[in-house]
Amino acid sequence: MSSSDKHLQANLTSLSERITAAARRAGRPTESVTLVAVSKTFPAEAVLALARCGQRHFGENYLQEALAKIEAVRAAAPGLPLVWHFVGPIQSNKTRPIAEHFDWVQSVERLKIAQRLSEQRPAHLPPLNVLLQVNISGEASKSGVAPGELPALARAVAALPRLRLRGLMAVPEPTDDPQRQRAPLAAMKALFDEQRAAGFADWDTLSMGMSADLEAAIGQGATMVRVGTALFGERVR
Ligand SMILES: *Cc1c(COP(=O)(O)O)cnc(C)c1O
């Protein structure tokens, strides 16, 4: 094993310990939290190194980079059952490769995008797992549907035949202060529970929590955390 592989393995071990500790504090089993390793800007070799340690879920933001990486990983390790999540902004003319090459899309915020993903999902693949991204901090520049518009979007997306709507995703405004991290995360959990009670009882995924706030997110009910920096190191771009 190379020294950078050892480094990744050590990061994965300490991250798993953080997740386990946070889940225990919340009175939940560790298995109730899925770790998505966000490998954007890092090479296929880093994905393969983590995959050799047992990591299965990987997240990507930039489509061209992601497609090349998925291809390289498949070529190097055919048959490795990795699960790819698209978590970045989606342009409507780029939906086809997303529908063809990913297992999950976490960043759906408009019906038009969802319709295209549903139409373009290949027939030989299972329905595409989808989360609706919510703009929970209300920042003008941030992606995501406004909480008030979520119920209508959820009903429309749930009706699309080739998508499987699984829940919600958010990227709250970053802060290192655990007190200030909590409010938007709690608001997401409330929205998630409201929608489940309003007819989406089958929703099983609340994706929130990144390197800096995963403890707070798990404390507020996250079932999926998306972690880049704490695994791969600082991104240079
Ligand atoms: C980059 C990114 C992450 C990972 O963020 P870190 O702070 O590096 O852990 C998670 N989710 C999304 C949507 C991202 O773009």
Side-chain angles (χ1 to χ4, degrees), residues 80-160:
L80 191 66
L82 298 189
V83 183
W84 289 98
H85 297 243
F86 193 77
V87 300
I90 307 170
Q91 291 167 269
S92 58
N93 61 343
K94 300 284 172 57
T95 50
R96 185 177 298 279
I98 296 177
E100 290 175 348
H101 294 281
F102 284 83
D103 304 290
W104 289 69
V105 180
Q106 301 202 8
S107 41
V108 171
E109 55 175 4
R110 287 191 287 144
L111 181 57
K112 183 183 167 197
I113 296 289
Q115 284 166 333
R116 293 177 64 94
L117 290 170
S118 180
E119 282 159 17
Q120 294 167 345
R121 180 67 169 172
H124 69 278
L125 294 177
L128 182 62
N129 297 296
V130 159
L131 302 178
L132 300 178
Q133 181 171 357
V134 179
N135 182 358
I136 198 63
S137 303
E139 298 161 273
S141 61
K142 265 277 165 65
S143 320
V145 62
E149 290 161 20
L150 173 66
L153 180 63
R155 279 193 300 275
V157 171
L160 296 170

Side-chain angles (χ1 to χ4, degrees), residues 4 27 37 45 55 60-61 87 101 106 110 118 134 137 149 152 172 188-189 194 229:
S4 72
E45 289 70 34
Q55 176 61 29
E60 289 286 336
N61 277 56
V87 300
H101 294 281
Q106 301 202 8
R110 287 191 287 144
S118 180
V134 179
S137 303
E149 290 161 20
M188 279 302 296
K189 171 66 166 148
E194 247 170 63
T229 311

Side-chain angles (χ1 to χ4, degrees), residues 38 40 61 87-88 169 171 209-212 226-230 235:
V38 180
K40 64 185 181 211
N61 277 56
V87 300
M169 182 272 240
V171 185
M210 317 197 332
S211 294
R226 309 174 312 268
V227 178
T229 311
R235 289 178 290 273

